[in-house]
Amino acid sequence: MDAPLDQARSFVAANGRAIDQARFAVQFDGQPVTQLLDALTAYQLPDGGFGKGLEPDIGAPASNPFATELALEYCLLAGVPRAAPLLTRAVAYLEQTQQEDGGWRFSEEVYQHELAPWFQGWQWPNINPSCTIAGLLRELGLGSPRLHAGVERLFAAQQ
């Protein structure tokens, strides 16, 4: 037995959210990806985006780009197939909510809930999380040419 890994397993089991426990089980214990998908589904909203506190610093139940970024990262790290319905819905959300400037923003609802201080004054447009979202989508083989071109324009404008 690997003592540090066993200690981490015990800590996550005692203190982690269902999503944290699922990520650990898939990454370190060889559990099937379906366990992660089941846990992530609890954070996905009807519009395809993610919210409901997946990003712990954003308390709003509404979809937001940072929570969606985390969901994409979890899927990439766990090897979720790109045809998974959860990913298909997430990409549809991102395609529909991308702004003309190439980025994504918080909805007004996000500002009506608990929000970490660094997010309260967030400046839009911003390459964070836009560039990470685009990079994750590229790694997953997802996203339209229009979506990626929009983020490329946003990145170029920030230079």
Side-chain angles (χ1 to χ4, degrees), residues 13-151:
N15 300 293
R17 304 171 295 171
I19 186 65
D20 304 321
Q21 294 169 5
R23 289 184 60 216
F24 192 95
V26 170
Q27 294 294 154
F28 296 104
D29 294 333
Q31 294 300 310
V33 170
T34 54
Q35 187 172 346
L36 176 71
L37 290 172
D38 289 345
L40 266 178
T41 297
Y43 295 94
Q44 192 169 37
L45 290 126
D47 64 5
F50 289 83
K52 301 180 185 180
L54 179 60
E55 162 46 85
D57 294 333
I58 302 171
S63 294
N64 68 79
F66 287 96
T68 304
E69 170 193 22
L70 281 178
L72 293 173
E73 179 181 353
Y74 298 169
C75 288
L76 179 64
L77 292 174
V80 171
R82 70 186 209 187
L86 179 135
L87 282 173
T88 302
R89 290 190 305 274
V91 172
Y93 161 77
L94 291 167
E95 295 281 357
Q96 292 167 6
T97 59
Q98 187 178 32
Q99 303 290 304
E100 287 296 318
D101 58 32
W104 291 270
R105 290 174 173 67
F106 289 148
S107 67
E108 288 302 316
E109 184 179 351
V110 170
Y111 294 105
Q112 297 169 7
H113 295 272
E114 189 174 339
L115 193 60
W118 46 88
F119 282 133
Q120 291 174 7
W122 202 261
Q123 298 295 309
W124 307 103
N126 201 307
I127 60 173
N128 181 11
S130 301
C131 287
T132 306
I133 287 171
L136 290 165
L137 289 174
R138 281 203 194 272
E139 287 294 316
L140 290 162
L142 299 169
S144 70
R146 183 197 61 79
L147 179 146
H148 290 288
V151 175

